[in-house]
Amino acid sequence: MPIYGIENGLRESNIGQLILLNGLFAILFGASLCEFIATKISIKLIIVLSLALNAGAIYLFSLNISVSMLVAVIFILVVRKASK
């Protein structure tokens, strides 16, 4: 994220805000989403879903490289972290 931001003219403060947004999403959605997913889905399926979300997020960003897509990918990766 910092490398992309610097190359596309984002200021250091904006990059820091995006990193903080990642942490905020993880704090807000992590515990409740993890509890919900753990009760509904098996562990093996959670691992497969996590890998699919990670690959999908990177693929989406490669299709549309923009700051708005970066924020969407950050949210997808937070969901992936919470589902582990």
Side-chain angles (χ1 to χ4, degrees):
M1 181 169 50
I3 294 171
Y4 167 77
I6 290 171
E7 288 178 355
N8 289 293
L10 290 176
R11 292 179 295 176
E12 291 178 7
S13 60
N14 292 350
I15 294 169
Q17 289 171 344
L18 287 173
I19 291 171
L20 288 173
L21 184 66
N22 183 5
L24 180 66
F25 283 157
I27 290 169
L28 289 175
F29 301 118
S32 60
L33 187 62
C34 187
E35 288 177 18
F36 176 75
I37 289 175
T39 59
K40 304 288 183 187
I41 302 174
S42 71
I43 299 297
K44 289 181 182 180
L45 188 57
I46 289 174
I47 292 170
V48 171
L49 269 171
S50 177
L51 290 171
L53 281 173
N54 194 23
I58 292 170
Y59 180 69
L60 279 176
F61 187 69
S62 69
L63 289 178
N64 182 15
I65 299 176
S66 66
V67 175
S68 60
M69 186 56 74
L70 180 63
V71 173
V73 167
I74 287 172
F75 184 73
I76 291 171
L77 291 176
V78 166
V79 171
R80 180 196 55 88
K81 286 180 195 175
S83 68
K84 280 188 171 181

